[in-house]
Amino acid sequence: STNEIGVFEMTEGGLSEVENPSAMLLSGRLSGVSGSAITCVMEGTRPILAEVQGLATPSGFGNARRTSTGFDYNRLNLLLAVLEKRIKLNYSNHDVYVNIVGGMRLDEPAADLAVALALVSALRDKPVDENLIAFGEIGLSGELRSVPRAQSRINEAARLGFTKCILPKACIKQISNCPDTLEIIGVRSLTEAISVIK
């Protein structure tokens, strides 16, 4: 299928397949650092875990900067507007940076929740639980909207040792077999999701 992803690395013997791209993308992650959240996106039919890094620092100039690598710039501005209006967080006098580790590009709206959590963590300088994964689309009212293939996403998270998953409450009906090691936390809004990570 043209909608699938293959991950390869160059070795001394030539190209070799990376059998576990999620583990590769998460290797080298620091624990106890603010501004980092993990999400699961679908590349074709394959679930891939990716680390979202956010940084919010007081701006030294009149106009605050917004920079995004691997995540849509307009989507970032939309999420910042939702965080300011619905959660009452002030990013207007902060430079904001978002980076997706490993050169990944997250085009799926399911990454919204992890980006928002990384930005909240960065602003408050409080780390997100390193064993937590989050996915879900955020609407303009701050609501969490359902995303497809929730079962595949939580299976991948459990396989890599994550113990908590925040997802839209509407996704829970898609899950028929929840891994015993993973706590599923269904939320209806961004406000509820942020209260979980406090």
Side-chain angles (χ1 to χ4, degrees):
S1 169
T2 57
N3 202 29
E4 295 298 326
I5 183 174
V7 180
F8 299 88
E9 65 177 340
M10 181 61 77
T11 64
E12 292 177 2
L15 282 177
S16 62
E17 182 184 5
V18 176
E19 296 193 6
N20 194 343
S22 292
M24 181 198 75
L25 289 168
L26 298 181
S27 64
R29 182 168 59 119
L30 295 176
S31 60
V33 178
S34 63
S36 174
I38 307 299
T39 191
C40 185
V41 293
M42 300 301 297
E43 292 289 347
T45 59
R46 187 175 200 169
I48 301 284
L49 268 58
E51 181 183 359
V52 177
Q53 292 180 328
L55 181 65
T57 181
S59 176
F61 305 101
N63 292 328
R65 290 187 62 185
R66 273 82 176 101
T67 303
S68 176
T69 304
F71 188 75
D72 184 68
Y73 176 78
N74 293 322
R75 192 81 186 166
L76 169 61
N77 285 324
L78 182 147
L79 292 176
L80 288 170
V82 172
L83 286 168
E84 289 208 346
K85 178 73 175 178
R86 306 297 177 192
I87 314 298
K88 308 301 183 198
L89 296 175
N90 184 12
Y91 290 91
S92 60
N93 58 352
H94 284 73
D95 294 335
V96 175
Y97 304 88
V98 168
N99 177 53
I100 309 304
V101 174
M104 287 284 292
R105 174 146 191 92
L106 305 186
D107 295 318
E108 191 183 12
D112 286 357
L113 182 55
V115 172
L117 294 182
L119 290 172
V120 171
S121 170
L123 187 68
R124 294 179 173 172
D125 200 21
K126 290 185 178 178
V128 175
D129 184 351
E130 62 184 33
N131 294 309
L132 182 141
I133 184 170
F135 58 86
E137 180 180 357
I138 296 174
L140 292 180
S141 300
E143 79 276 16
L144 264 291
R145 296 188 169 270
S146 180
V147 295
R149 303 185 64 92
Q151 184 72 60
S152 297
R153 296 176 203 262
I154 67 164
N155 288 346
E156 180 73 359
R159 189 174 70 81
L160 286 171
F162 287 87
T163 57
K164 287 183 185 176
C165 178
I166 302 178
L167 73 169
K169 200 151 197 166
C171 284
I172 291 179
K173 62 186 176 185
Q174 299 177 30
I175 300 169
S176 56
N177 182 22
C178 181
D180 296 335
T181 57
L182 191 66
E183 178 189 356
I184 301 295
I185 305 167
V187 294
R188 289 193 173 91
S189 69
L190 185 53
T191 304
E192 287 182 37
I194 291 171
S195 70
V196 171
I197 67 165
K198 280 185 178 178

